[in-house]
Amino acid sequence: NSYYINAGALNVPGLFTMANAFPGTLTANYGWGAGHSYSAYGTADIGWKSQLFLGVTGRNDWIGNLDEEKIQYFYPSLSAAWVASETFQLPEMFDLVKARYGYADVGNGLVKQRNVDTYTFESPDWSGTVKTANINASLVDPNIKPMHSITNEAGIDAWMFKKRILFDFTYFVKDQVDQLGGIPVVQGTGFTSMTTNIGDVRNKGYEWGLTVNPVRTTDWNWDLTGTFTHYKATITRLSQNFAPNGYVFAGYGGKTVVKIAEGEEIGNIYEQNPILKVKTGKYKGIPLLDDSGKFQNSGDERDRAQLANFNPDYIIGLNTTLRYKRWSLNMVGSFRVGGDYISQNQQYMDSNGK
């Protein structure tokens, strides 16, 4: 439990006592909370002839105080590796060649919270004489599920020339399952929205990595590492309760919006107000002007043009470390190549002839 008192103004600046509060500005509040959770965790690892390795883990969480809010969920993971350089006689240039696979399922510890529909009194009183109260309108789906992040990845590692060159490649698929969001409800119920599961997102991509060690002596060591990453995220499922028409738009600034729809790539930017265009024939896609020669707004979603995507085409990472005895100097750099953004300032300047 917590209790606290606030003063909106002080009679004497810098004297922080309740007695020094300016008349009519003193308010008192309190808060309380309770939680109960426990978990079980297990792990097992096995290897065979320094060639094959397998590791598994499992965790189960139980959270909640009251029967209607209790929830339990299981998070497993698995890792496997095959050291091919131990199985086959490879050329002397190879120090290590390994194939690997990993699977992990993690979550965010959701509690099936009870619907909060009690009233709280406001302080200070309205006009100094009228007591007011507000409803804590928080509605939660009784069948809500905890959000999960499920990752699958596979890759290879190769070390060569006494670890002078290290190479790795990873392909990954990451699913965000049962993401949480609010859906509108009839306000006559006393609530404005209900928290529930609204959809899934899949992120797929790959990463290359290369490390070279051109200098290695008793006193000096110099490493250079570069990475190349490409990924693409797509909405794979969207609740009809969240998007009855199959899609919704979120404001992005200026006169643009981001589209949320099943099958849509994350980051796609569209124009906020579609322009009426010719639908068929030789002039298909050409804007239709009104009698005064101005563009006309359209209510047809086929006319809404995609302008850009704010995610990068790929990311390049650079890292170098220079060591001399017990001293070291490290430099890190990252370059995002591709991806577009919308400048609201530029929009205003263009529209006003600047």
Side-chain angles (χ1 to χ4, degrees), residues 10 32 45 87 97 121 143 148 162 171 191 195 199 223 263 281 335:
L10 300 173
W32 67 276
D45 296 281
T87 305
V97 176
F121 288 108
N143 298 316
H148 281 237
K162 306 294 183 182
Y171 177 80
F191 300 93
T195 301
D223 291 324
F335 304 91

Side-chain angles (χ1 to χ4, degrees), residues 52-127:
L52 300 176
F53 300 89
L54 177 66
V56 294
T57 66
R59 169 176 171 167
N60 203 92
D61 289 348
W62 294 265
I63 295 181
N65 291 318
L66 305 175
D67 290 338
E68 61 266 38
E69 72 173 6
K70 288 182 178 179
I71 192 171
Q72 66 91 21
Y73 34 88
F74 178 65
Y75 299 134
S77 71
L78 178 146
S79 62
W82 170 41
V83 183
S85 54
E86 292 291 335
T87 305
F88 304 107
Q89 186 67 36
L90 299 179
E92 189 176 352
M93 60 180 287
F94 290 102
D95 305 314
L96 172 73
V97 176
K98 180 177 70 173
R100 49 184 164 77
Y101 169 76
Y103 168 87
D105 182 351
V106 297
N108 67 348
L110 171 73
V111 173
K112 285 186 176 179
Q113 300 176 358
R114 301 181 67 189
N115 299 330
V116 181
D117 53 4
T118 57
Y119 290 89
T120 58
F121 288 108
E122 294 294 306
S123 178
D125 298 336
W126 182 67
S127 296

Side-chain angles (χ1 to χ4, degrees), residues 249-259 267-270 272 307-311 340-344 347:
F249 291 100
Y252 184 65
K255 298 186 180 299
T256 58
V257 291
V258 175
K259 188 176 183 180
N268 284 343
I269 305 172
Y270 291 81
Q272 186 178 49
L307 304 177
N309 185 291
F310 56 68
N311 285 316
D340 300 296
Y341 69 95
I342 305 299
S343 172
Q344 192 168 352
Q347 289 179 3

Side-chain angles (χ1 to χ4, degrees), residues 202-232:
R202 168 165 287 186
N203 189 353
K204 296 195 298 184
Y206 58 86
E207 181 175 276
W208 299 85
L210 179 65
T211 298
V212 295
N213 182 211
V215 177
R216 184 194 296 167
T217 67
T218 303
D219 295 332
W220 290 91
N221 190 79
W222 182 27
D223 291 324
L224 288 165
T225 300
T227 59
F228 179 94
T229 306
H230 170 78
Y231 66 89
K232 179 180 179 181

Side-chain angles (χ1 to χ4, degrees), residues 141-191:
D141 186 350
N143 298 316
I144 196 169
K145 300 175 182 178
M147 184 177 73
H148 281 237
S149 178
I150 302 174
T151 302
N152 285 272
E153 67 174 41
I156 57 174
D157 298 314
W159 298 357
M160 295 171 284
F161 303 110
K162 306 294 183 182
K163 297 183 182 180
R164 292 278 187 167
I165 298 178
L166 310 178
F167 169 80
D168 66 87
F169 172 78
T170 302
Y171 177 80
F172 59 87
V173 178
K174 185 175 183 179
D175 291 299
Q176 299 284 352
V177 182
D178 291 324
Q179 292 205 36
L180 304 179
I183 61 174
V185 296
V186 178
Q187 293 191 8
T189 61
F191 300 93

